[in-house]
Amino acid sequence: MIGLAYLVAGAIYVVAMVFLVGWAWRFGRKVNRGTALAGAMLAFLSLYLPVFWDFIPTMVAHRYYCAKDAGIVIVKDPKQWVSEHAMDADTLRIAYWDLNRPTATKKPGGWKYELINGGVAQETRWTAIGGIWMSIERLEIRVSDIQTGATLMTVRDYRSGATLVSQTLRPQPNADSCATPSFVLQSINIMHPLYLQDKSQ
């Protein structure tokens, strides 16, 4: 239903835009071509800006943040960590089908804490950084050794668009990630050895 409402609203918006710009052009032509162009542009902006005023700034800002500090930083290769703890793999492995397995918990600062295995934890946080001006969110992921506190890997990514975190429903330039495939998918592939899957099963 929400999708249908957006479709109907979009159709009405386009029809209103065409009608108003056409009317302004025809009215301006009674004077001269320059007046017609100015009138049509003013009519276009009068409908465009209330809805899309932050479209281009959001797109530019998203690209800026992506270029500035988005990416994956590997401090210690997960394969190396697994190799160093090979003798404890059976003890550290978490059975994800076990109903008694540890669940994700919330920590101060908006971080969500969950175990990848008995010796490695992942912390995740989404932060809205665009305020009321732009719908941009930063994703931060930290993977660390529980015993030593040493960081194994960090991930930072940005997305733009109408989301639950930004709480914006107006049309936005949607971008789920700074990369294709997304940094999240790339990080999952890198972290895969940490799940200590039992190869005998």
Side-chain angles (χ1 to χ4, degrees), residues 62-127:
H62 179 260
R63 293 182 178 179
Y64 166 77
Y65 285 118
C66 286
K68 180 183 177 183
D69 64 352
I72 300 174
V73 177
I74 300 175
V75 180
K76 172 179 278 190
D77 192 323
K79 293 180 180 178
Q80 181 182 346
W81 189 95
V82 171
S83 177
E84 294 173 356
H85 297 78
M87 298 295 293
D88 304 318
D90 291 337
T91 304
L92 296 174
R93 183 181 299 113
I94 295 177
Y96 283 85
W97 54 86
D98 185 353
L99 296 179
N100 296 318
R101 69 181 178 84
T103 57
T105 58
K106 292 185 177 181
K107 295 181 63 178
W111 290 95
K112 184 179 74 172
Y113 179 93
E114 56 189 326
L115 296 178
I116 296 179
N117 63 52
V120 177
Q122 173 180 312
E123 296 173 281
T124 307
R125 177 172 68 176
W126 281 104
T127 307

Side-chain angles (χ1 to χ4, degrees), residues 82-187:
V82 171
S83 177
E84 294 173 356
H85 297 78
M87 298 295 293
D88 304 318
D90 291 337
T91 304
L92 296 174
R93 183 181 299 113
I94 295 177
Y96 283 85
W97 54 86
D98 185 353
L99 296 179
N100 296 318
R101 69 181 178 84
T103 57
T105 58
K106 292 185 177 181
K107 295 181 63 178
W111 290 95
K112 184 179 74 172
Y113 179 93
E114 56 189 326
L115 296 178
I116 296 179
N117 63 52
V120 177
Q122 173 180 312
E123 296 173 281
T124 307
R125 177 172 68 176
W126 281 104
T127 307
I129 62 174
I132 63 173
W133 304 108
M134 291 175 287
S135 298
I136 299 178
E137 298 167 2
R138 177 175 59 231
L139 168 65
E140 298 169 274
I141 298 175
R142 298 190 306 220
V143 180
S144 57
D145 186 300
I146 296 174
Q147 185 175 6
T148 66
T151 299
L152 305 182
M153 183 175 72
T154 62
V155 181
R156 181 166 288 192
D157 202 359
Y158 293 87
R159 71 179 179 186
S160 64
T163 65
L164 292 177
V165 176
S166 64
Q167 298 181 346
T168 298
L169 297 179
R170 291 183 299 99
Q172 293 284 327
N174 289 310
D176 293 330
S177 173
C178 293
T180 304
S182 71
F183 285 131
V184 173
L185 291 178
Q186 294 181 44
S187 66

